[in-house]
């Protein structure tokens, strides 16, 4: 009740008779929804990582190669997009693929999953770094990649 408030003399809302309009709620911003499929490529030397570019949400951080879409896609479509986005990776054999899991950021909702791939030989590609599990602790990894690595341990 305003009549009992000690700040009544300084209260602009009371003076302007706008108490019922306050607090003014901000309109909630809608979050963008994105779907990521990470490819956990295991070689005898370690895991394949790539560095995100400086314009993405995880600027300059390392992660597994991925396919990013605006909706859920099938395993077949995922493989086709992987081969399109990474032409040096051919004849990929996915041993397992996880279910989508939700990861919420302030402005983006990410549904991610990971596909596990074993490769004995990896074609040369300057985009990729092969990193042992132990050495991955020295790379800047975002939380989703850390969660995936924890599951692989």
């Amino acid at each position: 009740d305003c009549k009992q408030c000690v700040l009544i003399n300084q209260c602009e809302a009371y003076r302007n008779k706008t108490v019922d309009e306050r607090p003014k709620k901000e309109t909630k911003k809608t979050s963008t929804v994105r779907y990521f499929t990470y490819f956990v490529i295991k070689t005898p030397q370690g895991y394949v990582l790539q560095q995100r570019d400086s314009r993405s949400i995880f600027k300059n951080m390392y992660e597994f190669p991925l396919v990013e879409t605006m909706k859920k896609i099938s395993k077949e479509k995922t493989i086709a997009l992987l081969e399109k986005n990474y032409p040096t990776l051919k004849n990929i054999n996915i041993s397992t693929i996880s279910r989508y899991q939700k990861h919420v950021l302030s402005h983006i909702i990410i549904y991610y999953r990971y596909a596990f791939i074993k490769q004995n030989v990896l074609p040369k590609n300057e985009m990729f770094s092969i990193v042992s599990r132990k050495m991955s602790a020295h790379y800047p990894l975002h939380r989703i990649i850390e969660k995936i690595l924890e599951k692989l341990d």
Side-chain angles (χ1 to χ4, degrees):
D1 184 21
C2 288
K3 301 248 188 240
Q4 315 234 324
C5 181
V6 296
L7 300 173
I8 194 167
N9 294 332
Q10 292 88 24
C11 183
E12 199 171 315
Y14 182 77
R15 201 171 24 248
N16 296 329
K17 298 183 178 16
T18 58
V19 173
D20 292 337
E21 298 170 19
R22 302 196 187 271
K24 190 170 189 168
K25 291 185 180 181
E26 292 182 26
T27 55
K28 189 175 182 181
K29 294 178 183 174
T30 57
S31 295
T32 305
V33 177
R34 292 157 85 177
Y35 292 84
F36 291 0
T37 300
Y38 288 103
F39 296 93
V40 181
I41 303 171
K42 175 88 168 114
T43 70
Q45 296 80 30
Y47 292 103
V48 175
L49 296 177
Q50 68 180 8
Q51 189 174 24
R52 289 281 259 190
D53 68 24
S54 60
R55 296 166 293 156
S56 67
I57 57 171
F58 299 120
K59 292 179 187 176
N60 299 322
M61 298 187 94
Y62 283 82
E63 64 186 0
F64 300 115
L66 85 151
V67 170
E68 186 177 328
T69 58
M70 299 307 277
K71 62 181 181 179
K72 289 182 180 181
I73 57 173
S74 68
K75 181 178 177 180
E76 293 75 24
K77 178 79 171 162
T78 302
I79 293 170
L81 284 171
L82 173 71
E83 290 177 347
K84 180 183 173 205
N85 293 352
Y86 303 96
T88 58
L89 297 176
K90 294 287 181 197
N91 302 320
I92 295 299
N93 185 13
I94 294 176
S95 59
T96 57
I97 193 163
S98 72
R99 293 181 301 157
Y100 280 102
Q101 298 168 55
K102 188 176 182 179
H103 185 78
V104 180
L105 301 172
S106 61
H107 58 297
I108 299 172
I109 298 172
I110 298 171
Y111 290 95
Y112 71 93
R113 64 181 177 171
Y114 58 94
F116 194 72
I117 301 168
K118 283 190 179 179
Q119 291 286 109
N120 288 330
V121 179
L122 190 69
K124 277 228 180 272
N125 188 327
E126 59 278 348
M127 291 174 54
F128 298 146
S129 299
I130 298 177
V131 179
S132 70
R133 176 65 181 105
K134 186 177 181 181
M135 287 303 295
S136 69
H138 301 289
Y139 282 73
L141 306 172
H142 55 79
R143 185 64 188 130
I144 293 173
I145 300 305
E146 289 175 351
K147 284 181 186 178
I148 294 170
L149 285 170
E150 287 168 7
K151 288 186 183 197
L152 297 176
D153 285 343

